[in-house]
Amino acid sequence: MTFSPEQLGQSKRDLAETLKTLRKQAGLTGDRLARRCSMSQSKISKIETGKMIPSLVDVESILRALDAPPALVDEVAELARIANTEWNASRLSWRRGLEKRQSELAHLEAEATEIRYFLPSMITGLLATPEYIRSSLEHAPVDTSKTVERKLKRQDLLYDTSKSLTFILTEQAVKWPIVPRPAMAVQVDRLVSVSHLPSIRLGVIPLGTPTPRGPLSTFTIYDDRLATAETLTGRIVFRDPKDIDQHREIFSSFEENTFFDDDARDLLLAWANSFR
């Protein structure tokens, strides 16, 4: 599926209007459609007015109740997948204030109990030293002092034993020299330390390890509710269950080729020593 950021906003309006039009063409009231779909009338109303974005399962249920032809089901289902995808441009985050983005991430993390992080290019702020965080934000055309504070505050998550956090980092992510070599040694040492925390499962994929696919982008999975993927210019948010399941499958495939526990720590210690 390909789409532009402009499509992501328009598709939500198009989906709401399309479902409302199809219901009217079928000669059904919102209440009758709700009964056929085993949904509440208020939920149908919120979907048709755009106040609620329906999941792909909801859309398929509505289309079955309307006896929609297969070609139309495929077309509207594709529209639903786009509507359940959100684009967050980096330049908008800069204008709003990067610290607000940190508050949003903290909210996502607070609601989730199982989070998976795939990190192919850099170390995430959750695992980073203050010096590494400050250096990683040098490109931002705004004041980042509050953002650094928020990132460090979010690290409290690592010590929350009610959570389960799995981090997979490639060797490139661990060794990418964001800071001078002595500071990189400290940063990699921190990864070793964090790996001992009870809620943390931290693994690495050394260069040369055969993997089933290329590590194209950083992504994070929050339970089975949401997945995000990072690009150089922004972030894509996926809420459709099929997209989330696909990210979970990809994560699992990398997990099978990842070194964890003492094997990971041995590699990390060797990489830290290479910076000394």
Side-chain angles (χ1 to χ4, degrees):
M1 178 179 65
T2 60
F3 48 80
S4 66
E6 291 76 15
Q7 279 181 285
L8 299 181
Q10 183 62 41
S11 64
K12 297 175 185 179
R13 296 185 290 273
D14 289 346
L15 179 61
E17 187 60 34
T18 297
L19 293 174
K20 182 177 181 180
T21 299
L22 290 174
R23 174 182 61 75
K24 289 183 174 181
Q25 289 175 349
L28 294 177
T29 64
D31 186 55
R32 286 184 62 192
L33 176 59
R35 289 199 298 271
R36 287 191 180 188
C37 300
S38 298
M39 297 181 189
S40 67
Q41 192 278 329
S42 63
K43 181 174 182 178
I44 293 293
S45 177
K46 288 177 182 178
I47 289 172
E48 292 186 353
T49 56
K51 294 180 180 178
M52 173 187 289
I53 303 173
S55 69
L56 190 58
V57 173
D58 288 336
V59 170
E60 290 174 344
S61 179
I62 290 171
L63 293 175
R64 282 196 303 269
L66 295 173
D67 294 323
L72 183 59
V73 171
D74 291 342
E75 181 180 338
V76 180
E78 184 71 3
L79 190 61
R81 290 197 71 193
I82 299 174
N84 275 277
T85 305
E86 177 183 331
W87 169 254
N88 301 146
S90 294
R91 63 182 182 276
L92 296 180
S93 294
W94 294 337
R95 287 203 290 267
R96 292 172 56 230
L98 291 177
E99 66 275 9
K100 291 183 179 179
R101 164 84 174 115
Q102 294 305 307
S103 296
E104 292 168 358
L105 286 172
H107 179 71
L108 282 175
E109 292 159 352
E111 288 192 332
T113 57
E114 185 176 12
I115 313 176
R116 299 170 176 85
Y117 304 86
F118 180 68
L119 307 165
S121 55
M122 282 181 60
I123 296 168
T124 177
L126 284 174
L127 303 174
T129 62
E131 185 173 354
Y132 189 100
I133 291 174
R134 283 191 290 270
S135 182
S136 69
L137 293 170
E138 285 183 353
H139 67 284
V142 293
D143 178 33
T144 60
S145 55
K146 290 183 179 179
T147 304
V148 173
E149 292 177 10
R150 296 286 180 87
K151 278 180 173 282
L152 291 172
K153 177 60 179 173
R154 280 179 51 222
Q155 292 182 357
D156 290 346
L157 179 73
L158 302 175
Y159 306 93
D160 186 344
T161 54
S162 69
K163 309 287 187 181
S164 174
L165 311 178
T166 301
F167 298 89
I168 294 179
L169 301 94
T170 65
E171 181 176 348
Q172 173 179 296
V174 175
K175 297 171 72 172
W176 193 261
I178 298 296
V179 290
R181 296 182 68 86
M184 282 300 300
V186 174
Q187 172 59 78
V188 182
D189 283 340
R190 172 167 169 74
L191 297 180
V192 176
S193 177
V194 167
S195 73
H196 288 284
L197 294 174
S199 61
I200 305 300
R201 186 166 178 254
L202 190 150
V204 295
I205 303 177
L207 288 173
T209 303
T211 54
R213 62 173 69 209
L216 296 179
S217 64
T218 295
F219 64 86
T220 306
I221 309 166
Y222 300 87
D223 296 326
D224 58 357
R225 300 179 299 106
L226 185 144
T228 65
E230 306 283 343
T231 74
L232 287 172
T233 56
R235 179 183 68 140
I236 304 173
V237 181
F238 300 95
R239 292 185 176 84
D240 186 277
K242 290 185 179 179
D243 290 323
I244 297 168
D245 286 345
Q246 188 170 12
H247 278 85
R248 289 172 66 104
E249 290 172 6
I250 293 170
F251 190 90
S252 294
S253 70
F254 283 121
E255 204 168 13
E256 292 174 359
N257 298 278
T258 299
F259 290 79
F260 287 100
D261 303 320
D262 287 340
D263 290 333
R265 286 187 276 271
D266 288 344
L267 287 166
L268 289 169
L269 286 170
W271 296 341
N273 287 333
S274 72
F275 283 114
R276 301 190 205 285

